[in-house]
Amino acid sequence: MHLPKLASIGIRAPRLSAGNLRTPLRTLGPGSVSSLLKIALDVAYVLLALITGVLLLLWIASIFIPIDNLNVTVSDGADGRQMPLTRPLLLFGVGAITAYFGGFLMILRGLRKIFRTLTLGDPFQPDNVRRLRQIGLILAIVTGGVWVAQGLVAARLAPGVMEPQGVSDLLTPVFSILVVFVLAEVFREGARLRRESELTI
């Protein structure tokens, strides 16, 4: 018994083309999305390091520069209040901004190391758990610092002009902090499973 040929019954074999041979977008390893994000983080880290360095130099310079007969305007939208610029106020303002950028610089430093392991295709390392917890802690400190600083400015420097942050303003930052700590636990469980599989092999 002879089988009918494909051509005789009108069926054509599918042709292979470049579109059919496309590989799915990789998320780990060299040349993946993680490596592109690692490059973006490297650039952002360098820029933020430069900004933080300039702010630190400005904070040191603010100890010595003369500020006699200088005023500063504290405003929140349309309203504003002019007040004399004092040395403690200048040091507090520049120092708060420097600490803010410095905190995010440390966060980027940890993220760069995490994405380096993603680029290598080995994300579940115990060091990544520690890095994620440090990122969550720094985020908590920065969020609390901004909340306290704005409250001090609203109460002492510009009462009636600036309003302190309410509890509702902390919902999004607190949620982000909790997500980071949850990710740390996910990475910890992944590192444990990898260690167990290595011991089993």
Side-chain angles (χ1 to χ4, degrees), residues 47-57 98 101-102 105:
L47 293 176
L48 199 58
L50 292 174
I51 295 173
T52 306
V54 171
L55 287 172
L56 184 59
L57 292 176
T98 305
F101 280 94
L105 182 66

Side-chain angles (χ1 to χ4, degrees), residues 33-93:
V33 177
S34 300
S35 62
L36 296 178
L37 291 176
K38 171 67 167 52
I39 295 173
L41 285 173
D42 289 341
V43 174
Y45 179 80
V46 172
L47 293 176
L48 199 58
L50 292 174
I51 295 173
T52 306
V54 171
L55 287 172
L56 184 59
L57 292 176
L58 183 60
W59 183 83
I60 295 173
S62 63
I63 301 175
F64 306 102
I65 58 175
I67 56 173
D68 298 334
N69 301 322
L70 291 179
N71 295 326
V72 61
T73 301
V74 181
S75 64
D76 185 13
D79 298 328
R81 177 183 178 183
Q82 196 174 44
M83 55 186 302
L85 180 62
T86 61
R87 185 85 56 191
L89 177 60
L90 179 61
L91 291 174
F92 173 78

Side-chain angles (χ1 to χ4, degrees), residues 88-178:
L89 177 60
L90 179 61
L91 291 174
F92 173 78
V94 178
I97 296 174
T98 305
Y100 183 81
F101 280 94
F104 280 101
L105 182 66
M106 295 174 64
I107 291 174
L108 281 182
R109 181 173 177 268
L111 285 175
R112 288 175 66 233
K113 292 183 178 180
I114 291 174
F115 272 86
R116 187 180 302 159
T117 62
L118 295 179
T119 303
L120 295 175
D122 187 19
F124 296 113
Q125 297 183 5
D127 289 338
N128 282 345
V129 179
R130 175 180 53 81
R131 290 165 185 154
L132 282 170
R133 288 174 179 171
Q134 288 177 350
I135 290 172
L137 182 61
I138 295 170
L139 272 177
I141 293 173
V142 170
T143 301
V146 170
W147 193 78
V148 171
Q150 187 165 339
L152 289 174
V153 171
R156 299 299 181 97
L157 300 179
V161 177
M162 292 189 66
E163 293 294 331
Q165 286 186 337
V167 178
S168 60
D169 297 322
L170 294 175
L171 293 179
T172 301
V174 168
F175 179 77
S176 303
I177 293 167
L178 291 177

